[in-house]
Short mmCIF file of all heavy atoms in Angstrom, two decimals:
data_model
loop_
_atom_site.label_atom_id
_atom_site.label_comp_id
_atom_site.label_asym_id
_atom_site.label_seq_id
_atom_site.Cartn_x
_atom_site.Cartn_y
_atom_site.Cartn_z
N LEU D 3 -23.04 -29.67 -16.86
CA LEU D 3 -22.84 -28.86 -15.66
C LEU D 3 -21.62 -27.96 -15.81
O LEU D 3 -21.66 -26.78 -15.47
CB LEU D 3 -22.69 -29.76 -14.43
CG LEU D 3 -22.40 -29.05 -13.12
CD1 LEU D 3 -23.59 -28.19 -12.71
CD2 LEU D 3 -22.07 -30.06 -12.04
N PHE D 4 -20.53 -28.51 -16.34
CA PHE D 4 -19.31 -27.72 -16.53
C PHE D 4 -19.51 -26.60 -17.54
O PHE D 4 -19.01 -25.49 -17.35
CB PHE D 4 -18.15 -28.62 -16.97
CG PHE D 4 -17.71 -29.59 -15.91
CD1 PHE D 4 -17.82 -30.96 -16.11
CD2 PHE D 4 -17.18 -29.13 -14.71
CE1 PHE D 4 -17.41 -31.84 -15.14
CE2 PHE D 4 -16.77 -30.01 -13.73
CZ PHE D 4 -16.89 -31.37 -13.94
N ILE D 5 -20.26 -26.87 -18.58
CA ILE D 5 -20.53 -25.85 -19.58
C ILE D 5 -21.38 -24.74 -18.96
O ILE D 5 -21.13 -23.55 -19.16
CB ILE D 5 -21.23 -26.46 -20.83
CG1 ILE D 5 -20.26 -27.39 -21.56
CG2 ILE D 5 -21.74 -25.36 -21.76
CD1 ILE D 5 -20.88 -28.18 -22.68
N GLY D 6 -22.38 -25.13 -18.17
CA GLY D 6 -23.24 -24.14 -17.51
C GLY D 6 -22.46 -23.28 -16.53
O GLY D 6 -22.63 -22.04 -16.50
N VAL D 7 -21.61 -23.90 -15.74
CA VAL D 7 -20.79 -23.14 -14.78
C VAL D 7 -19.83 -22.24 -15.53
O VAL D 7 -19.64 -21.06 -15.16
CB VAL D 7 -20.04 -24.10 -13.83
CG1 VAL D 7 -19.02 -23.35 -12.99
CG2 VAL D 7 -21.03 -24.84 -12.93
N GLY D 8 -19.25 -22.73 -16.59
CA GLY D 8 -18.32 -21.92 -17.39
C GLY D 8 -19.01 -20.71 -17.99
O GLY D 8 -18.46 -19.60 -18.00
N LEU D 9 -20.21 -20.89 -18.51
CA LEU D 9 -20.97 -19.78 -19.07
C LEU D 9 -21.34 -18.75 -18.00
O LEU D 9 -21.31 -17.55 -18.24
CB LEU D 9 -22.23 -20.28 -19.78
CG LEU D 9 -22.00 -20.97 -21.13
CD1 LEU D 9 -23.30 -21.56 -21.65
CD2 LEU D 9 -21.42 -19.99 -22.12
N ALA D 10 -21.70 -19.23 -16.82
CA ALA D 10 -22.05 -18.33 -15.72
C ALA D 10 -20.84 -17.50 -15.30
O ALA D 10 -20.94 -16.28 -15.09
CB ALA D 10 -22.58 -19.12 -14.54
N ILE D 11 -19.69 -18.13 -15.20
CA ILE D 11 -18.46 -17.42 -14.83
C ILE D 11 -18.07 -16.43 -15.91
O ILE D 11 -17.72 -15.27 -15.63
CB ILE D 11 -17.32 -18.42 -14.54
CG1 ILE D 11 -17.63 -19.19 -13.26
CG2 ILE D 11 -15.98 -17.70 -14.42
CD1 ILE D 11 -16.67 -20.33 -12.98
N ALA D 12 -18.17 -16.85 -17.17
CA ALA D 12 -17.85 -15.94 -18.28
C ALA D 12 -18.80 -14.74 -18.28
O ALA D 12 -18.37 -13.59 -18.48
CB ALA D 12 -17.92 -16.68 -19.61
N GLY D 13 -20.08 -14.97 -18.03
CA GLY D 13 -21.05 -13.87 -17.96
C GLY D 13 -20.72 -12.90 -16.84
O GLY D 13 -20.84 -11.68 -17.00
N TYR D 14 -20.30 -13.45 -15.71
CA TYR D 14 -19.93 -12.58 -14.58
C TYR D 14 -18.75 -11.68 -14.96
O TYR D 14 -18.78 -10.47 -14.72
CB TYR D 14 -19.56 -13.41 -13.35
CG TYR D 14 -18.99 -12.55 -12.27
CD1 TYR D 14 -19.82 -11.80 -11.46
CD2 TYR D 14 -17.62 -12.45 -12.08
CE1 TYR D 14 -19.31 -10.96 -10.48
CE2 TYR D 14 -17.09 -11.63 -11.11
CZ TYR D 14 -17.95 -10.88 -10.30
OH TYR D 14 -17.43 -10.06 -9.34
N PHE D 15 -17.72 -12.25 -15.55
CA PHE D 15 -16.54 -11.46 -15.89
C PHE D 15 -16.82 -10.44 -17.00
O PHE D 15 -16.27 -9.34 -16.98
CB PHE D 15 -15.36 -12.36 -16.27
CG PHE D 15 -14.75 -13.04 -15.08
CD1 PHE D 15 -14.76 -14.42 -14.97
CD2 PHE D 15 -14.17 -12.30 -14.08
CE1 PHE D 15 -14.20 -15.04 -13.88
CE2 PHE D 15 -13.60 -12.91 -12.98
CZ PHE D 15 -13.63 -14.28 -12.87
N ILE D 16 -17.69 -10.78 -17.92
CA ILE D 16 -18.07 -9.82 -18.96
C ILE D 16 -18.81 -8.64 -18.32
O ILE D 16 -18.53 -7.47 -18.62
CB ILE D 16 -18.91 -10.50 -20.06
CG1 ILE D 16 -18.02 -11.44 -20.88
CG2 ILE D 16 -19.57 -9.46 -20.96
CD1 ILE D 16 -18.77 -12.33 -21.84
#
Side-chain angles (χ1 to χ4, degrees):
L3 177 66
F4 293 117
I5 293 172
V7 171
L9 286 174
I11 291 172
Y14 171 79
F15 286 117
I16 290 170

